[in-house]
């Protein structure tokens, strides 16, 4: 897993800058949530400091719990409408995962880790042709969007 943080200059397709696309993304979000029996709560800011939660993920990865941390961050964002750029939210998620809040917050505020996630977007775009999220790359093949997960699964199973 490579967290990516597209900056405005590297992500011209940002749905927050395209009202029609953002509206459609929200409609689709509720459709998929209903299909999977999930609840989505709106209200989390779309203009959060995305570098911090992505760098926090790298810290959680170093501490050995990247997936639980990622899942809890998604719950905080989409089920509790919390701001993932808020230190209190990051600390709470870390503690929910049994991680040191201080260690994860230190990672969140580390400029080198924040730069790493921005560079990961650029690398993904240049090396793998990534242009949006979610993107998955397996054996040099790009799978973009959650609706391509079944294709990715078939590739993984047949390998």
């Amino acid at each position: 897993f490579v967290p990516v943080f597209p900056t405005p200059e590297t992500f011209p397709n940002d749905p927050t800058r395209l009202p029609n696309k953002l509206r459609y993304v929200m409609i689709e979000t509720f459709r998929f949530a209903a299909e999977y029996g999930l609840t989505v709560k709106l209200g989390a800011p779309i203009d959060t400091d995305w570098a911090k939660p992505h760098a926090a993920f790298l810290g959680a990865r170093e501490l050995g719990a990247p997936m639980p941390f990622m899942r809890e961050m998604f719950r905080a964002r989409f089920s509790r409408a919390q701001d993932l750029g808020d230190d209190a939210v990051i600390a709470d998620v870390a503690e929910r995962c049994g991680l040191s809040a201080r260690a994860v917050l230190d990672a969140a505020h580390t400029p080198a880790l924040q730069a790493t996630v921005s560079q990961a977007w650029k690398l993904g775009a240049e090396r793998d042709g990534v242009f949006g999220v979610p993107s998955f790359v397996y054996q040099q093949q790009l799978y973009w969007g959650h609706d391509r997960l079944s294709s990715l699964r078939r590739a993984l199973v047949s390998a």
Side-chain angles (χ1 to χ4, degrees):
F1 286 86
V2 178
V4 296
F5 168 58
T7 59
E9 58 276 0
T10 62
F11 190 48
N13 197 22
D14 181 351
T16 64
R17 297 176 134 182
L18 304 166
N20 289 338
K21 183 174 184 178
L22 181 58
R23 191 175 309 107
Y24 181 77
V25 166
M26 294 311 305
I27 290 168
E28 284 292 283
T29 298
F30 283 102
R31 282 184 194 148
F32 294 125
E35 285 178 25
Y36 292 107
L38 302 172
T39 301
V40 174
K41 184 176 179 184
L42 295 180
I46 58 175
D47 61 346
T48 194
D49 179 358
W50 290 111
K52 283 171 47 179
H54 286 79
F57 170 84
L58 294 175
R61 185 172 69 186
E62 286 299 312
L63 295 170
M67 299 312 290
F69 184 82
M70 181 183 69
R71 283 190 296 271
E72 273 306 311
M73 288 293 271
F74 280 126
R75 283 187 190 102
R77 172 97 177 141
F78 296 109
S79 296
R80 297 189 297 271
Q82 294 178 308
D83 180 355
L84 299 188
D86 183 307
D87 284 356
V89 172
I90 294 170
D92 178 60
V93 167
E95 289 172 356
R96 287 174 184 264
C97 298
L99 299 173
S100 161
R102 180 76 267 145
V104 174
L105 282 171
D106 285 348
H109 287 275
T110 301
L113 292 179
Q114 291 182 7
T116 296
V117 293
S118 291
Q119 288 302 316
W121 175 262
K122 186 175 182 217
L123 175 64
E126 292 171 357
R127 184 189 65 200
D128 302 314
V130 170
F131 57 89
V133 294
S135 291
F136 307 91
V137 179
Y138 176 66
Q139 294 184 341
Q140 291 82 46
Q141 295 294 310
L142 176 64
Y143 298 84
W144 174 66
H146 81 282
D147 57 329
R148 296 297 179 253
L149 288 175
S150 59
S151 297
L152 174 59
R153 183 177 191 280
R154 282 191 297 276
L156 290 166
V157 169
S158 68

